[in-house]
Amino acid sequence: MVPFDIKINEDITLSESKSQLNKLLIESVEYRKVSDVEVGLFISGGLDSSLLGKLMKNSDNVKLTGFNVDYDDHFEGYKGELQEAKFASKYIGINLVEEKINYNDFKKIFDNYSFYEDDLIGDEVGIPLFFLGKASRQNNIKVVQVGEGADELFYGYDHWHRLLKLNKFLQPILKSSKEFSKFTNHRLNLVSNILFNRTFFSGGAIGFNLSEINFLLNKGLTDEYKLINYVDEKWNEYFSQPNSSLYKWMTLIDLKIRIPELLLMRMDKLVMQSGVEARVPFLDHKLVEFILSLPQNQLINSSEQKFLLKEVASNYLPKEITHRKKQGFRAPIGEWIKKDSKCFYNYIFEFNDDTKLFNDKSLKKILEGFDYQKKWYLLNLSRWHLSRI
């Protein structure tokens, strides 16, 4: 079944939805426990991974090993998740293996990171995933379950909810003849796209918007950029249907693009470097099709994220886990770059000397700025290119 063709079931009750979701989750987890070897778990201590752990550990007799990664360098905006993972593991009865990585570990993987990715993914989360895979293999665990896909299915992102609220107050006023917004500022870019009826939710993995890329490239954007702007065609196709809705579009387009091209790629490729298979119970096709058929008021609640999943999880887990504040899985890439910025920037300069892709003024502005995420994207691009020369 094609996700864009799934019809919404307006007649299903909340009680029926919770019962069916519970059944599908149990079936999906049990199916992915089938193996000739012990199956482990990547656990952050948050809702998604903890629920998987509880369903995997369906009796005291079941042995389950969980893995968590933390950093020696703690940084602003991310305090790590080790304590939460310890709490959840103790509650569920999981044997937790704690992995800590530091700048030297990053340096060791850095030269080969783009080779491990085998693609221009650019997401630094693959770094801790690499070490989680390594820790799993060292503990003789060759198969793990992971929580990828839960945020996309159950609306676990702050920016999704903010955009839905914004869209209630801002509506298109006319159709723009321009292909993309001229604003480099992300907020102005977003507002412009809404007002002028352009695609304003392309998925959750955009580092540079089109206007930023246009300024950064020596020759600016050419018509070839449309080859990678597949999302625009799907946007127009989807919203030409009578029952289209922004809330459903968010999940659909991430299922089409972000999950297979980013989340699963980084998981598969970086964990498989250690010969470890990662399985994704939340992306079972029957579970996905069921969630896509549910009405908005059962999936989106104004007071809390992941409303429906929390309703089911509350039968298995305490509020300390189900209502724990989400912080996401990150790596201190900015802190690491700062430790030897001259060395890292030289890779970018070497790349640009070879390709003449970026204009010097725009590149200098980025490297002298404070957005280390963008610097990492450029650095990753540079290493990816230079590894293939």
Side-chain angles (χ1 to χ4, degrees), residues 186-246:
H186 280 293
R187 291 181 180 178
L188 292 176
N189 189 282
L190 171 63
V191 171
S192 173
N193 285 336
I194 293 176
L195 293 177
F196 293 103
N197 203 27
R198 289 186 290 255
T199 312
F200 60 86
F201 183 83
S202 304
I206 295 178
F208 293 84
N209 62 47
L210 290 176
S211 185
E212 288 177 305
I213 297 173
N214 189 48
F215 278 104
L216 181 59
L217 297 179
N218 255 327
K219 297 181 180 179
L221 282 173
T222 67
D223 284 342
E224 290 182 349
Y225 86 89
K226 295 178 182 177
L227 295 174
I228 62 171
N229 229 26
Y230 160 85
V231 67
D232 286 345
E233 293 182 13
K234 298 305 293 184
W235 172 275
N236 293 330
E237 175 189 330
Y238 176 71
F239 282 99
S240 66
Q241 300 175 30
N243 297 317
S244 59
S245 61
L246 179 59

Side-chain angles (χ1 to χ4, degrees), residues 351-363:
F351 164 79
N352 207 40
D353 287 343
D354 181 68
T355 63
K356 303 296 188 293
L357 186 64
F358 305 134
N359 71 72
D360 292 335
K361 183 178 179 181
S362 295
L363 182 59

